[in-house]
Amino acid sequence: MTRNIIITQRYDKIGQFRESRDNLDVRYIKLIEKLKLIPVPISNNIKNLKNILKHIKPCGIVLSSGGDPRKNDIRKKIEIKLIKHSIKNKLPILGICRGAQALNLFFGGKIKKIKGHVRKDHVIKGSIYNKYINYKVNTFHDLGINKKNLAKNLVTNFISKDSNIECFSNKNMNILGIMWHPERYKILRKFEISLLKKFFKCN
């Protein structure tokens, strides 16, 4: 097993000529390196993902943020393949914001429009790894998940005061979804670093 972590990227049409581009916030690189792991961004245009995964041998996968996961595009197709790969090979898969939404949709949950979560800080409460947390996080999403819309095989870990789920998991399938952005803090915080190190457990 390597220390490689695959990171998905946004897929956008850019500029006057609508050029197809893969995009990734460079702060994800900083976050993964802080975990003492090796970030490997994956293109949405990979044709033979199976061979790439065989070569890279990732110890984990990150579904990154940005965009609507309900959109049927090549990014969604790549992410579905990566989710299936992670389940089959028992790899930890982390979804951040849009990535968490994509995980919930994959397992049969729903997402809905919400207010008050774009460029806002929220206090979240709950527990993970047998530790209760009362914690303030940043949020940048206008699509959210409540208890009614969470997929049946996922478990709520943290919830905000307005009853939106900010973190969920499934220990049996090494799944973790968080709706805030740990990578966007100028100084990466100890809680997120500790949480993600425990989750990935890469050698």
Side-chain angles (χ1 to χ4, degrees):
M1 182 70 71
T2 68
R3 293 168 53 244
N4 296 330
I5 296 289
I6 280 182
I7 312 174
T8 62
Q9 303 187 71
R10 292 184 64 135
Y11 177 68
D12 295 315
K13 299 286 187 178
I14 301 294
Q16 178 182 356
F17 299 104
R18 306 295 290 162
E19 294 176 342
S20 298
R21 299 282 183 91
D22 292 322
N23 294 293
L24 180 67
D25 186 335
V26 296
R27 291 172 289 189
Y28 277 105
I29 304 301
K30 180 181 177 182
L31 174 64
I32 298 304
E33 288 183 336
K34 188 70 174 179
L35 302 176
K36 307 298 183 183
L37 301 172
I38 301 170
V40 183
I42 193 84
S43 174
N44 292 293
N45 290 279
I46 290 294
K47 297 302 180 185
N48 198 330
L49 181 63
K50 185 176 181 180
N51 282 348
I52 295 295
L53 292 170
K54 185 177 180 180
H55 177 73
I56 295 173
K57 297 178 181 178
C59 67
I61 296 168
V62 174
L63 303 183
S64 66
S65 54
D68 188 337
R70 298 171 297 186
K71 185 177 180 181
N72 289 313
D73 58 11
I74 61 173
R75 178 182 182 181
K76 184 174 182 178
K77 292 178 182 178
I78 285 289
E79 290 186 335
I80 287 174
K81 289 179 181 179
L82 288 172
I83 295 170
K84 290 179 178 179
H85 178 81
S86 73
I87 295 171
K88 181 179 179 180
N89 294 277
K90 298 181 179 179
L91 295 178
I93 184 164
L94 167 70
I96 295 179
C97 195
R98 179 204 183 277
Q101 297 163 2
L103 285 170
N104 186 48
L105 290 173
F106 177 86
F107 289 104
K110 298 178 181 179
I111 57 177
K112 66 172 188 175
K113 282 281 187 180
I114 60 173
K115 296 180 179 180
H117 282 252
V118 178
R119 296 183 180 87
K120 300 288 185 180
D121 288 344
H122 289 271
V123 173
I124 60 173
K125 295 181 180 181
S127 62
I128 195 165
Y129 295 121
N130 299 315
K131 185 176 181 180
Y132 180 81
I133 297 291
N134 186 326
Y135 195 62
K136 182 179 284 188
V137 298
N138 59 28
T139 56
F140 295 87
H141 54 274
D142 61 357
L143 293 170
I145 305 167
N146 58 29
K147 288 185 177 181
K148 181 180 178 181
N149 293 328
L150 186 67
K152 292 182 179 179
N153 60 341
L154 300 175
V155 176
T156 300
N157 294 102
F158 298 117
I159 196 165
S160 60
K161 287 184 178 180
D162 59 357
S163 299
N164 281 288
I165 294 171
E166 298 295 333
C167 178
F168 60 78
S169 63
N170 183 312
K171 293 181 180 179
N172 295 329
M173 289 191 283
N174 295 318
I175 292 166
L176 180 66
I178 59 177
M179 291 298 295
W180 72 94
H181 289 257
E183 81 283 359
R184 292 189 180 180
Y185 289 99
K186 290 183 178 180
I187 299 176
L188 297 175
R189 302 190 299 179
K190 291 182 179 179
F191 169 69
E192 282 96 345
I193 296 302
S194 175
L195 170 63
L196 297 182
K197 280 185 176 179
K198 287 180 181 178
F199 177 67
F200 282 117
K201 296 180 181 178
C202 294
N203 295 323

